[in-house]
Structures are given as structure tokens and as C-alpha cells.
Amino acid sequence: MTRKRIIAGNWKMHKTNAEAEEFAVNLKVILAKIGEDIEVLVCPPATAISCTARVLDKTDIKIGGQNMHFEEQGAFTGEISGVMLKGAGATHVMLGHSERRHIFNEDNAMINKKMHAAFKANLIPILCIGETMEEKKEGLTSTVLENQLKGCLEGISKNQAQILIIAYEPVWAISNDDPTHKPATPDDAEEAHSFIRDVIEKIYDKTIADNINILYGGSVNPGNAKAILDMKNIDGALVGGASLKPGEFAEIVAAAKF
Ligand code: 13P
């Protein structure tokens, strides 16, 4: 079974429109030499989606939103909807990132509503799941992952699950100001990915589980990408910090080549 590889960059709250355009211009040039056998995606802040999409128009590099509201429109000050992301040039949307869960209190029920709304807007959701360090220490990793998958995928059909992307991002591995945060070992990540695939098989079926793309996220960089991406059940990476420089990001894309 050969699944395609996907390398996605999550810019988080970084880059003005001018910086985003400069990044996109450079990435376009660098990736032209790397080839097209890997799906590459960048997720700018909402403000920079349309200018990034304009620069990357007619390339194979796709654009994702980092979050969206579950309603199409309405009195929700400060929010943006799936149709708005789509209209700005996004094809994908990240949902349930741990920073959304932990800083902005999003729970599985809310993420589930967003999943349904994303499909309705014809966006491909990248569903992010992952345990905290406390949960890992308490031996709760499997329970947490299974609950997140079941909660967030409630009512999502087999047809929809066929195009869905999952990102396993252990919260303790995501780089931030906490010096204890470090990447999962390839073996630890593989164990979690294999478990996630088993849960997808339980919820849906073996074909969907065999085909679904499961990305790893958490301190991926040009130095560790290949070892992580070589694992059987790891189909790509969702990259934060190292996706902010086109050269580093392109090195990770190059590491994803089969
Ligand atoms: P880092 O690659 O900076 O650890 O971020 C991972 C992440 O949160 C991607 O969504």
C-alpha cells in the first residue's frame, strides 16, 4: 500500500501579507526543482490566504486555513467561515489544533461541528489530535486519541472520511517556549500512528484506514524529517516553526521523497 505523502506548513500567527508573498515567491522557485510527487500545502494566517494563493496560483502548492467557524455567516465577531476560506483560495482547513483546543477551549463537540461545516464548504479538513504530557504520563494516550477521533468524526460519512487528513500532534512535542518540548521519536510516533489507523478501521473500514493520510506534527525539522517520514504509518508532516523559511520547508519536502 503506497499512500501519497503530504507536507503541510502551519505558519500559526506569523507573517504579514508582504512576508507571505515573499515566502510564496521563493517557495515556488525552490519547489519547482523538487518535483511534484508530494502534496505540499501552506497554511498562512487568514489575512494572508488570498495574497499567498495569488502567488501560488497555477502551481501544485495548496493553501489551507488554520481554523474556521462552524456557521457559514452571522453575528460572530472576529470569526471566519469555510466559504470565506474557500473564496480566499484555500482548499484545506486545519481543525482541532492543540493551540485551538488548549488556548481557545475548543472541545471535540465543537471541532465535530467544524468538520461538518468544512465538508459542506468543500474544504478538506486536516483533523489534529494529540495527547498532553500529563495524559501521556498517566498512560492515557490511546484513550485520548480514540476519544478525540470518535468525538470529532461523529456523523462523518465513509465518503467524507476518504478525503479527510489526520495530523497526530502530541502536545508535548510541539515547539514553543517550553524547553521540555521535544520531537517524538520515530518509533513512538509510529506506534501512535498505527493505533490511529486501527481506530479509523474500527470507526470505518480497512480500506479507509489503509488509505487515510496521517501526518505527524511536533518539532519536525530538516534534520529529523527523514527518520520520521520513513516510518510505515507516517504519511507526511505538519510543520510549524521550520515551515516559516522556504529553504528549510523545502528541505523537509525533499526528505519526504520515497
Ligand atoms: P512545530 O513544528 O513548531 O513544533 O509546530 C508543530 C505544529 O503545531 C504544527 O501544527
Side-chain angles (χ1 to χ4, degrees):
M1 155 65 45
T2 311
R3 288 176 293 271
K4 71 176 171 206
R5 290 269 173 88
I6 301 173
I7 303 294
N10 172 12
W11 296 358
K12 306 193 178 182
M13 199 172 73
H14 293 282
K15 295 198 191 292
T16 61
N17 285 11
E19 290 163 346
E21 277 174 2
E22 188 188 344
F23 176 101
V25 167
N26 286 327
L27 189 70
K28 199 161 108 167
V29 174
I30 304 172
L31 287 191
K33 291 180 209 134
I34 286 174
E36 292 167 4
D37 51 344
I38 300 159
E39 195 164 296
V40 179
L41 178 78
V42 291
C43 302
T47 42
I49 288 179
S50 52
C51 70
T52 308
R54 225 172 291 127
V55 177
L56 296 177
D57 188 32
K58 304 206 169 58
T59 72
D60 291 322
I61 304 167
K62 308 230 163 56
I63 313 276
Q66 298 176 11
N67 178 39
M68 58 175 263
H69 194 271
F70 50 79
E71 294 290 351
E72 235 169 66
Q73 58 179 13
F76 302 104
T77 302
E79 292 291 321
I80 51 166
S81 71
V83 286
M84 292 170 188
L85 287 178
K86 187 85 186 168
T91 48
H92 293 63
V93 61
M94 297 168 50
L95 294 176
H97 190 279
S98 64
E99 286 145 21
R100 299 298 319 168
R101 291 176 188 264
H102 299 295
I103 306 172
F104 300 101
N105 297 323
E106 293 193 10
D107 60 11
N108 292 332
M110 179 185 279
I111 297 159
N112 177 247
K113 283 195 197 177
K114 295 185 178 199
M115 292 285 298
H116 285 278
F119 280 115
K120 198 167 162 215
N122 272 322
L123 290 164
I124 299 173
I126 303 173
L127 171 62
C128 305
I129 58 171
E131 80 285 5
T132 63
M133 182 46 98
E134 293 69 39
E135 289 162 344
K136 178 179 159 68
K137 280 189 183 148
E138 285 171 37
L140 293 173
T141 299
S142 310
T143 313
V144 169
L145 295 180
E146 184 156 1
N147 284 343
Q148 288 177 338
L149 284 168
K150 287 189 171 152
C152 297
L153 294 174
E154 177 83 46
I156 299 298
S157 70
K158 278 190 182 185
N159 277 347
Q160 292 170 325
Q162 274 166 11
I163 58 163
L164 166 73
I165 299 167
I166 293 175
Y168 171 59
E169 299 207 307
V171 182
W172 46 269
I174 295 176
S175 59
N176 57 13
D177 292 335
D178 184 341
T180 66
H181 280 217
K182 39 173 94 71
T185 64
D187 286 333
D188 282 350
E190 169 65 17
E191 192 182 326
H193 279 233
S194 159
F195 175 76
I196 290 165
R197 213 174 286 289
D198 287 347
V199 176
I200 293 295
E201 182 172 342
K202 259 202 282 180
I203 300 177
Y204 296 103
D205 59 35
K206 181 155 167 44
T207 310
I208 289 175
D210 281 345
N211 285 300
I212 200 160
N213 282 105
I214 309 175
L215 317 184
Y216 167 78
S219 300
V220 175
N221 60 48
N224 63 18
K226 178 139 180 46
I228 292 169
L229 292 165
D230 273 351
M231 304 310 286
K232 191 168 132 236
N233 282 292
I234 300 184
D235 308 313
L238 181 52
V239 187
S243 76
L244 294 173
K245 293 198 184 119
E248 273 185 40
F249 186 56
E251 277 185 61
I252 297 171
V253 174
K257 275 186 172 289
F258 283 106

